[in-house]
Amino acid sequence: MNSHTKDSQPKPLSVVLAGGGTAGHISPLLAIADAIKSLRPDARILAVGTPNGMETRLVPAAGYELATIDRVPFPRKPSADLFKLPGRLAAAVKQAGRILDDAHADVLLGVGGYVCTPMYLAAWRRRIPIVIHEANTRAGLANRVGAMFTKHVGVAFPETRLRHARHVGMPMRKAIAGLDREAWRAEARQSLGLDAGQPALIVTGGSSGAQSINRTIAGAVAALAEAGIQTLHITGRGKAVTNDDGAPLSADGYHQVEYVDAMEKVYAAADVLLARSGAATVSEVAAVGLPAVFVPLPIGNGEQAMNASALVNAGAALLVDDGALTAEWLKAEVIPLLTDQARLEDMASKAKGLGIRNADQRMADLVLEAVSE
């Protein structure tokens, strides 16, 4: 693609980034956008999402412009929606084409989600180079389609099977990628209301919370306190854990909040994190070197267990099925771990050995490589 105008002045690089729906798509997209800007401050960046995804809030908050196209879900089963699919997809591809034309796009980067399939098809028709990042061990449908049109494909996990995949890691915010847990621990604990010297378990079920995890923690607070362990329980919005009388659960060393805005504080303050094994969480705890207990989401196609497998196999994390996570299991497995400093240090260094901190830069390089060809 010609990047020079007639008077041979280089025109600013125009990058269109597509993806959205969940924070799992939007966070890497924004990290890649920032990395492109640091390599090419002249770059014009436009993000594309759907009108009702989290991107409508997160992208403008990060300082980037957002365009939207209609969401075209692919029906999983034969239904009336299946007959509407070709028309809906054609309309979305038309919208996508207009966005690419108006942006004078030099390259399209997609991170997956409903918005990407029409964007990939519109870019392919225009011979605009396509770059893909896949965050999960099992690639989504949109990125499987997109990988047919490009060889510039980055993946967060080495196990991900996608054409032309290169293992680049998970792009993440600089505050996490550059986190020094030791240096920030005291400050992070103070800001979260935790004791500086006591072992700390931090529990999260994600922004929407996980009722099964919440129930188990509620049943284990007394045993944790007895073992001298403090617990910060991030319950999820609207999911406060209560006693029988409806008052918030309270116990020695137990703190509950619905949400923590800056996860880097959690990573710095925790000795062990107990969480779901979403792709971002797994990648982030590896990057910062944090021992973890993963409780994969019990629904879906087993993807979350696959996400965690490298850390578990390396001895950097424990894995327990949702149904097997009981107060008894925590007493038998997690309390001894939290009181064994040598084991915690060993797990932390094994996690760090698998972590990738510069995936955002690797993806920015892939974008510039695609443009230059």
Side-chain angles (χ1 to χ4, degrees), residues 17-44:
L17 302 158
T22 63
H25 285 136
I26 303 156
S27 299
L29 182 147
L30 292 173
I32 296 166
D34 289 347
I36 292 167
K37 279 302 254 188
S38 69
L39 282 177
R40 287 286 297 266
D42 68 313
R44 288 199 319 263

Side-chain angles (χ1 to χ4, degrees), residues 4-177:
H4 291 74
T5 53
K6 282 179 184 157
D7 61 1
S8 85
Q9 286 298 314
K11 83 173 179 76
L13 179 68
S14 174
V15 183
V16 175
L17 302 158
T22 63
H25 285 136
I26 303 156
S27 299
L29 182 147
L30 292 173
I32 296 166
D34 289 347
I36 292 167
K37 279 302 254 188
S38 69
L39 282 177
R40 287 286 297 266
D42 68 313
R44 288 199 319 263
I45 290 180
L46 174 69
V48 185
T50 59
N52 44 12
M54 290 172 80
E55 58 270 27
T56 54
R57 188 169 47 84
L58 297 177
V59 169
Y64 293 106
E65 191 187 341
L66 178 74
T68 61
I69 66 173
D70 295 335
R71 188 171 173 266
V72 185
F74 284 71
R76 301 276 174 213
K77 299 185 180 104
S79 69
D81 278 350
L82 198 56
F83 298 104
K84 295 176 189 163
L85 180 63
R88 282 179 178 164
L89 186 58
V93 171
K94 212 171 190 174
Q95 288 177 314
R98 273 199 299 272
I99 289 169
L100 292 169
D101 293 341
D102 291 348
H104 302 290
D106 292 307
V107 60
L108 169 71
L109 177 127
V111 295
Y114 291 120
V115 73
C116 281
T117 306
M119 293 300 297
Y120 292 147
L121 291 168
W124 173 66
R125 283 181 181 172
R126 286 159 177 74
R127 300 193 172 177
I128 293 169
I130 294 168
V131 181
I132 291 172
H133 184 268
E134 175 54 60
N136 289 299
T137 42
R138 283 209 172 114
L141 178 62
N143 281 349
R144 294 204 305 272
V145 170
M148 291 163 24
F149 307 135
T150 181
K151 61 180 196 295
H152 302 289
V153 179
V155 296
F157 294 98
E159 302 85 358
T160 302
R161 296 177 63 175
L162 206 52
R163 278 181 63 178
H164 306 298
R166 296 185 217 182
H167 179 216
V168 298
M170 177 75 84
M172 58 189 76
R173 289 187 299 114
K174 284 273 179 275
I176 292 172

Side-chain angles (χ1 to χ4, degrees), residues 75-314:
R76 301 276 174 213
K77 299 185 180 104
S79 69
D81 278 350
L82 198 56
F83 298 104
K84 295 176 189 163
L85 180 63
R88 282 179 178 164
L89 186 58
V93 171
K94 212 171 190 174
Q95 288 177 314
R98 273 199 299 272
I99 289 169
L100 292 169
D101 293 341
D102 291 348
H104 302 290
D106 292 307
V107 60
L108 169 71
L109 177 127
V111 295
Y114 291 120
V115 73
C116 281
T117 306
M119 293 300 297
Y120 292 147
L121 291 168
W124 173 66
R125 283 181 181 172
R126 286 159 177 74
R127 300 193 172 177
I128 293 169
I130 294 168
V131 181
I132 291 172
H133 184 268
E134 175 54 60
N136 289 299
T137 42
R138 283 209 172 114
L141 178 62
N143 281 349
R144 294 204 305 272
V145 170
M148 291 163 24
F149 307 135
T150 181
K151 61 180 196 295
H152 302 289
V153 179
V155 296
F157 294 98
E159 302 85 358
T160 302
R161 296 177 63 175
L162 206 52
R163 278 181 63 178
H164 306 298
R166 296 185 217 182
H167 179 216
V168 298
M170 177 75 84
M172 58 189 76
R173 289 187 299 114
K174 284 273 179 275
I176 292 172
L179 180 68
D180 180 336
R181 284 179 60 228
E182 302 297 320
W184 281 93
R185 175 168 295 152
E187 192 179 316
R189 287 195 169 188
Q190 190 178 1
S191 80
L192 292 170
L194 295 174
D195 184 279
Q198 215 179 345
L201 171 68
I202 300 189
V203 179
T204 174
S207 58
S208 56
Q211 295 287 29
S212 56
I213 292 176
N214 290 353
R215 275 195 304 273
T216 297
I217 296 302
V221 289
L224 287 160
E226 210 174 290
I229 292 161
Q230 59 185 331
T231 305
L232 174 63
H233 186 182
I234 306 165
T235 62
R237 294 189 196 279
K239 297 221 170 84
V241 179
T242 55
N243 292 319
D244 295 339
D245 61 3
L249 179 67
S250 66
D252 285 346
Y254 175 78
H255 315 260
Q256 66 165 292
V257 293
E258 290 197 356
Y259 187 73
V260 172
D261 211 20
M263 279 305 284
E264 58 271 17
K265 271 196 250 180
V266 167
Y267 296 153
D271 288 301
V272 171
L273 180 78
L274 187 148
R276 294 292 190 209
S277 46
T281 304
V282 171
S283 301
E284 288 170 1
V285 299
V288 304
L290 173 61
V293 176
F294 291 124
V295 189
L297 203 61
I299 54 173
N301 53 14
E303 182 179 276
Q304 287 210 344
M306 286 170 69
N307 290 343
S309 62
L311 285 175
V312 174
N313 294 342

